[in-house]
Every structure is written in structure tokens, then in C-alpha cells.
Amino acid sequence: MDPRIEKLLTQVEKPARYTGGEYGEIIKDKDSVNLRFALCFPDIYEIGMSNLGIRILYGVLNSMDDVWCERVFEPWRDMSDLMRKNNVPLWALESGDPIKDFDIIGFSVGYEMSYPGVLDMLTLAGLPLRSADRESLSPLIFAGGTCMYNCEPIADFIDLAVIGEGEEADPELVTLFTEAKRNGLSKKEFLRRAAHIDGIYVPSLYNAEYSETGVINSITANEGAPEKVRKRLIGNIDKSFFPVRDIVPSTEIVHDRAVLELFRGCIRGCRFCQAGFVYRPVRSKSVQTLIEQGISALKNSGYQEISLSSLSSSDYRGLNELCDGLLDYCEPSMTRLSLPSLRADNFSMELMKRVQKVRRSALTFAPEAGSQRLRDIINKNITEEDLLNSCRNAFEGGWTAVKLYFMLGLPTETDEDVLQIADLTYKVLECFKKYASNKARGINITVSTSCFIPKPMTPFQWEAQVDIEEYSRRTRLLRDRLRSRSITYNWHDPRTGFVEAVLARGDRRLAPALESLVSRQGGLQAWDEYFDYDGWLECFRKNGIEPSFYATRERNTDEILPWSIISDGVNDSYLLRELERAKRGETTPDCREKCSGCGASLMAESGVCDE
């Protein structure tokens, strides 16, 4: 490690964030590899090391003999300030080498508020921010992750984006880059060739024209670029790489446990949920594969907890059999098996008693809306009866803590809908008083509300977000109704939600504002300590951007959207049908009950969805 880095470590909080050296990290001889890859996460170590996607890609890329993939995380502000003051460039954990000397720098971006982190990390690395200003082939800068379904706000800063799942796309990109490097190809020629890899979007090969009103008139592909970029999909995840020999962090991280991915996709079709649409179709792992992977991950890491992960884990068909197989190993070793993602309509008290034998935690449900009318509009497909029956079973079984998640600002929401969140919460409280097996302990009900954000690739992508003042009024309305000491109410900062909506539905015209924001405030804008709302507004104003144009404006359904060049496999006609059904208050059955013909199943290896 550079002696200058070692000197900085004595002056910062949590130096273990920056040292590497963890059990399970992969070290290679840098002189014996052909390509060095910096895998970057635009948030701090504790968040990035909790991300399963980072761990998967780290293993996939390092399985290539001629590639050394190293990890890079955004420094906390104390470290980044010292790096700037002492001219220490951003480095990779495994080698301690500056990432500006690497061949490829790849970012995983799953949250729009991480966009400033991408720019801040490039600045700390000592690299020009704009792709056009980086003329050489190396280092190539690209990004992947859920946000890439609309990467237009950072399109001018990256050379390309991986749309969809990267386990196969990233190695293909690396192979093409190695060939380009060996043959002396220019960056422009490499990007033209990369655009023909399935799932690769090269922003510089597309041009947008705007009308006087600010909407997009057209998006055209340059000669040789595909007219539509379709997401990359792993058809059989049962055979895909999974990190059973993983890095064990040297310091505590947010999700400090082994994680087992059950399936990708979701059968439910909640109309606000971007992940539920872009990860379609459902692809599940077999029970036997999961048992083997879970036990191996625990043995190799020494963790005393394993979590079952997916968008809706209780929808996994073989859940009981899987839990039985894992518990045969977990129970004798007092290892906790956690199932964090629950639905009120298929909640199993018997299962929860088994998986929480070691340590009992609060049960979490997400009704999303207080009224049945609004739950039907968003296609949540759970009823008040479902929730109360599940709570009754839990209270009779000894549970005394429940967390309830809702959204405010959903399309067509009224004050009555907001107040019905409180009514439903009090019904849960009454349910406890009536059925709890240990009433003397009392109950702790935590109600949390977040701000609805109309995300790309969903039926609500055309809808408007309510403005900050209106969201705040609704939180006050709900807060004033929730007056019991047994109820704790938390709400999301609407200012962050507003900026997130701007970035989620933004286009390339936001680039100058992002540059200004990072030069003024740096990264870590997802953190309350460093989020500067007034700074965002000033940067928007300075660069001639009206943020409400992106966040609180309802779009016409025939409008060309910034992400129109990207396809996640779900037909636009299906999204429009779902929007119309929402307006009529009609629900759509889940994929297990009936296929609705969204189009995503055609992308699967078998041609059909697992469900």
C-alpha cells in the first residue's frame, strides 16, 4: 500500500473501510494478467459489501484467468477530504493501486441518488468526467445496475452501459476489450463493436432532439447502432455463478450475514415497482441447489445468520422444503435463518416459528396503501383481511413487533386514503389487544411512509409525482391521526424523493447540473448528513433546468421518453393496458394464477417464465 494512504488511515473514522486484506479477497499477480478491472460501488464500504450483485460480479470476473477484478467504494467525507488535500488518488482495495491506471472501471448503480457518487469517484481518481474528454481506450468507464434502464442523466460521463444482468455480458465485454487493446483499436471503434453485444448501450451512438416545450422530438441511432437495446438476461440461474466462497468483511457492514438468492423476477406485478418489471421473467433456483449453496456459504464464511433474498421470498414454491433443508444445518449450530420479505396473503405462521427459533425479530409487511381502492389501483392484491389474519397468527404466536410500509402520493390518492393508513394501523393494534398471547409486553408498531416516485419501465412511468408541499401535508395529516404510544411513525424526506424523481425520469440535459453539484457538494448525496437540497436547486437553476418538468409533470402516453431506446422485454402496450386498468381500479392476477402476456417470458432461455 502507498505510504501516503497508510498515513491517512490514522486520521479517519473506520479505517478498515479502505485497507482490504479481508478473508476471501482475491489477489493475483498483476504482471501475469492481461486486464485489470476496478469494480466500483458509488457508496461506502458498508453498503457496497452488502450488495449481492457486487459479490457475484467480483467472482465472475476473477474466474477469468487473465483478469484481476478489484473492489472500489466511495470514501466517507473525512477520507475524501484528506485525499484531495494530499493529492492521493482513489485506489482499489486489493492492490492499493490507483484505479486511473486500470484498463476498465465499472460502476454498479442501483439508486439514482448515487449518480453524484459516480462523478465524485471519477474526480477522486483524477480522471476527466466526460466520456468525450477521455480519448484513449483505457480506462474504459461503464456502468450497470437497475438505474441503467434510464442512464441518460449520466450518459455523457460513461462510455457504455450494461442493460440487465451482467454475469455473461461483462465477461464478453472484457474479452472484446482485450482484443481491442491487443489490436490497437481506437476507443470509437471499440465502442462501435461493443454496441453489438446484446445488452450493451453506447450513449454516444444515439442523438436526441428536443422541442421548444422541452419534450423529446426524436432519438436516433447512428449508423451501425441497434435501433433498440434489449436487456441481457440469464436464462438458467440454477447454473449461474453464485459466490459460496466469499469475502468476509473485516468491519461490520449493513447486512452482515450470508445471503441466498432464491429467484429473480416477481410474479406480482405491482404497478409502481420498477424491479418487479425489469427483472421479469421469474427464474428460480432448485431447492437442492439452494440448500447446497446456503450451507457452503455458511461453512466458508463462519456467519451465524443466512438470509433468503428475492423480491418476494414467500412466493418461492419450494420454500418449506428449502427451510427444512437449511434448518437441518442451522439449528444444531444455532445459526439464524431469516426470511425478510413477507406478503400478508401467503404468510405462514408455522414457517416463521421455525425460521426464527434462534432470534425473533419484528415481522414486516408492506400493504403500500391504506384503502382497498388504492391497493387495487396499484395492483397490490392483498386485502385488509389478509393483513389482519396474518397479524392475528403472529400475535397468537408471541410476536410483539410489527413494521408496516406504505407509500404516500400514489396516483389518485385522496385524504381519505391517507387516513385509512391510520385506520388500518389501529386495527392491527386492536388485533394485538384481542389475540396476543403475551399482552403484558405490549406491542411496537412502526409505520413508515415513502414518497411515490414514478419510475421508468412501469405502468406509472407517465404519472406525476406530488410536489413536496403536498407530500408534507399528507405526512402531517397521517401523523396527527397516529397518536398511540404503541405506534411509531417515520416518513421519508420528500426533498430527497423529489430529486430522486428528477434523476429517475431525467435526460442528458441534467449532466451540467450533476457536474455543478459534485464540484460543490461531492458525493454521498443519499446520506442525510450530506444531502443538500438547496444546493441541488441552485445547480438546477444555474444550468437552466426546471426540476418539476421531470418530477411532477404528467407525461402524455405518446411522448418519447428518455429511456425509449431501451427494452426490458415488457411490451409498451402491456404497460399502457396496466395503466388503463389502474385508472378503472381493476387488478391483474399474478403470473402464477394467469399469464397476462407482458412479453418478458419470450426473453427467457426456455421461452417461458418459471411460473
Side-chain angles (χ1 to χ4, degrees):
M1 179 178 287
D2 188 325
R4 293 180 300 168
I5 299 175
E6 293 183 354
K7 184 178 179 180
L8 298 185
L9 294 176
T10 64
Q11 305 174 58
V12 298
E13 178 187 10
K14 297 184 179 180
R17 290 168 169 165
Y18 313 108
T19 59
E22 307 101 318
Y23 175 80
E25 73 170 5
I26 296 173
I27 302 295
K28 296 187 178 183
D29 180 1
K30 61 185 177 183
D31 294 325
S32 66
V33 297
N34 293 324
L35 184 141
R36 298 189 68 185
F37 192 113
L39 181 59
C40 298
F41 191 86
D43 209 324
I44 63 172
Y45 178 92
E46 293 94 316
I47 305 294
M49 283 301 294
S50 300
N51 184 277
L52 180 59
I54 286 288
R55 292 172 177 263
I56 290 174
L57 292 176
Y58 182 80
V60 167
L61 291 165
N62 277 312
S63 68
M64 304 175 71
D65 292 337
D66 59 345
V67 175
W68 186 13
C69 175
E70 304 180 51
R71 297 161 296 140
V72 190
F73 302 101
E74 186 175 8
W76 193 246
R77 189 62 60 84
D78 56 354
M79 175 60 86
S80 64
D81 287 346
L82 286 170
M83 290 167 63
R84 289 184 170 92
K85 181 179 179 180
N86 293 276
N87 295 316
V88 175
L90 186 63
W91 67 90
L93 293 188
E94 280 73 7
S95 66
D97 292 340
I99 67 169
K100 65 181 179 180
D101 297 330
F102 282 47
D103 297 290
I104 296 179
I105 298 173
F107 289 90
S108 178
V109 190
Y111 180 35
E112 290 85 356
M113 295 303 294
S114 296
Y115 286 161
V118 173
L119 274 62
D120 193 42
M121 292 176 76
L122 290 176
T123 301
L124 288 170
L127 292 166
L129 289 182
R130 298 246 174 185
S131 173
D133 296 330
R134 301 187 302 266
E135 297 181 357
S136 63
L137 176 62
S138 178
L140 180 78
I141 312 295
F142 80 91
T146 309
C147 287
M148 294 306 100
Y149 286 96
N150 179 30
C151 66
E152 294 306 295
I154 61 168
D156 288 342
F157 308 113
I158 58 176
D159 299 319
L160 57 87
V162 175
I163 311 299
E165 296 161 353
E167 290 100 318
E168 293 175 352
D170 284 9
E172 289 180 19
L173 189 66
V174 164
T175 299
L176 181 65
F177 183 92
T178 302
E179 294 174 357
K181 183 180 174 183
R182 181 173 59 247
N183 295 326
L185 295 186
S186 67
K187 177 180 175 180
K188 288 185 178 180
E189 179 58 30
F190 166 79
L191 291 176
R192 281 194 290 268
R193 297 188 184 188
H196 293 282
I197 297 176
D198 290 341
I200 301 299
Y201 170 53
V202 180
S204 61
L205 299 182
Y206 298 86
N207 300 304
E209 294 185 358
Y210 305 92
S211 71
E212 292 182 358
T213 62
V215 300
I216 298 174
N217 271 341
S218 65
I219 301 176
T220 56
N222 293 349
E223 185 177 355
E227 295 295 327
K228 201 85 166 176
V229 179
R230 291 172 63 83
K231 75 176 178 185
R232 195 62 178 268
L233 189 77
I234 303 297
N236 188 342
I237 68 165
D238 211 41
K239 297 180 180 178
S240 64
F241 175 86
F242 189 79
V244 295
R245 293 185 177 276
D246 207 356
I247 297 172
V248 180
S250 299
T251 187
E252 186 177 2
I253 61 176
V254 174
H255 300 303
D256 209 2
R257 55 183 177 254
V259 177
L260 193 59
E261 182 185 34
L262 305 185
F263 59 89
R264 295 182 188 174
C266 183
I267 66 173
R268 296 294 175 171
C270 299
R271 292 172 178 139
F272 59 85
C273 181
Q274 184 184 45
F277 284 91
V278 301
Y279 289 126
R280 290 186 177 202
V282 173
R283 291 146 292 144
S284 304
K285 290 184 180 180
S286 68
V287 170
Q288 189 56 41
T289 295
L290 288 168
I291 292 173
E292 292 173 358
Q293 289 180 346
I295 293 174
S296 294
L298 288 169
K299 287 181 176 179
N300 292 326
S301 66
Y303 275 121
Q304 290 299 109
E305 179 180 356
I306 184 168
S307 174
L308 305 184
S309 173
S310 71
L311 292 176
S312 181
S313 297
S314 54
D315 283 329
Y316 181 67
R317 286 185 184 274
L319 187 59
N320 289 333
E321 183 184 355
L322 169 62
C323 290
D324 286 341
L326 290 173
L327 287 168
D328 286 343
Y329 174 84
C330 292
E331 287 183 351
S333 61
M334 293 297 290
T335 298
R336 183 185 176 199
L337 172 61
S338 63
L339 183 64
S341 180
L342 302 174
R343 281 187 59 92
D345 58 345
N346 63 3
F347 173 77
S348 168
M349 193 65 238
E350 180 182 355
L351 177 61
M352 290 307 299
K353 285 181 179 178
R354 289 208 65 193
V355 302
Q356 297 205 12
K357 275 186 178 180
V358 176
R359 185 171 78 248
R360 184 170 293 185
S361 60
L363 294 176
T364 301
F365 299 104
E368 306 295 359
S371 68
Q372 192 60 51
R373 181 195 75 83
L374 197 50
R375 285 194 294 272
D376 288 345
I377 284 173
I378 66 177
N379 205 46
K380 188 63 183 179
N381 281 330
I382 62 170
T383 65
E384 179 180 295
E385 183 181 12
D386 291 329
L387 177 63
L388 295 179
N389 283 341
S390 294
C391 288
R392 174 181 176 174
N393 290 334
F395 299 150
E396 289 177 339
W399 264 262
T400 60
V402 174
K403 296 179 180 179
L404 302 175
Y405 287 92
F406 299 90
M407 277 190 286
L408 290 179
L410 287 163
T412 78
E413 183 181 71
T414 65
D415 284 0
E416 182 180 357
D417 295 313
V418 174
L419 292 174
Q420 286 192 50
I421 294 175
D423 294 344
L424 184 58
T425 303
Y426 281 114
K427 288 177 182 178
V428 172
L429 178 58
E430 290 303 313
C431 183
F432 175 83
K433 292 177 180 179
K434 187 174 182 179
Y435 296 109
S437 60
N438 51 354
K439 295 183 179 67
R441 291 189 58 184
I443 184 174
N444 180 15
I445 302 174
T446 302
V447 175
S448 298
T449 59
S450 61
C451 185
F452 164 69
I453 297 170
K455 289 293 183 87
M457 308 288 176
T458 69
F460 289 158
Q461 64 182 354
W462 295 279
E463 294 294 304
Q465 183 185 53
V466 298
D467 62 34
I468 290 174
E469 291 74 18
E470 176 60 21
Y471 175 86
S472 298
R473 187 191 68 81
R474 296 182 195 188
T475 61
R476 292 193 297 270
L477 182 68
L478 180 56
R479 181 193 61 197
D480 291 344
R481 183 65 69 93
L482 295 172
R483 290 297 186 179
S484 170
R485 287 190 293 179
S486 298
I487 300 171
T488 301
Y489 177 38
N490 303 315
W491 60 92
H492 187 257
D493 183 350
R495 301 172 304 169
T496 305
F498 177 70
V499 174
E500 182 182 344
V502 173
L503 298 177
R505 301 210 291 179
D507 53 45
R508 297 187 193 186
R509 290 173 291 183
L510 295 181
L514 280 169
E515 282 180 304
S516 298
L517 187 282
V518 172
S519 66
R520 168 180 171 148
Q521 294 295 331
L524 300 174
Q525 289 295 303
W527 292 83
D528 291 342
E529 296 94 320
Y530 299 114
F531 176 71
D532 178 13
Y533 180 63
D534 291 336
W536 279 97
L537 293 185
E538 172 60 22
C539 291
F540 288 142
R541 185 201 61 76
K542 177 182 175 182
N543 291 281
I545 293 167
E546 175 48 63
S548 61
F549 175 83
Y550 297 103
T552 59
R553 178 178 66 90
E554 183 179 354
R555 274 116 169 105
N556 294 322
T557 54
D558 60 353
E559 181 177 326
I560 297 174
L561 302 172
W563 52 91
S564 295
I565 204 74
I566 306 297
S567 171
D568 66 348
V570 176
N571 299 325
D572 288 342
S573 58
Y574 176 79
L575 297 180
L576 285 167
R577 288 201 305 273
E578 282 295 286
L579 179 62
E580 291 304 314
R581 290 178 69 86
K583 292 178 178 178
R584 296 193 298 268
E586 298 175 3
T587 61
T588 298
D590 65 55
C591 302
R592 188 170 291 170
E593 182 179 340
K594 179 184 177 182
C595 177
S596 299
C598 71
S601 65
L602 299 177
M603 300 192 72
E605 187 177 89
S606 61
V608 295
C609 175
D610 280 0
E611 299 301 330

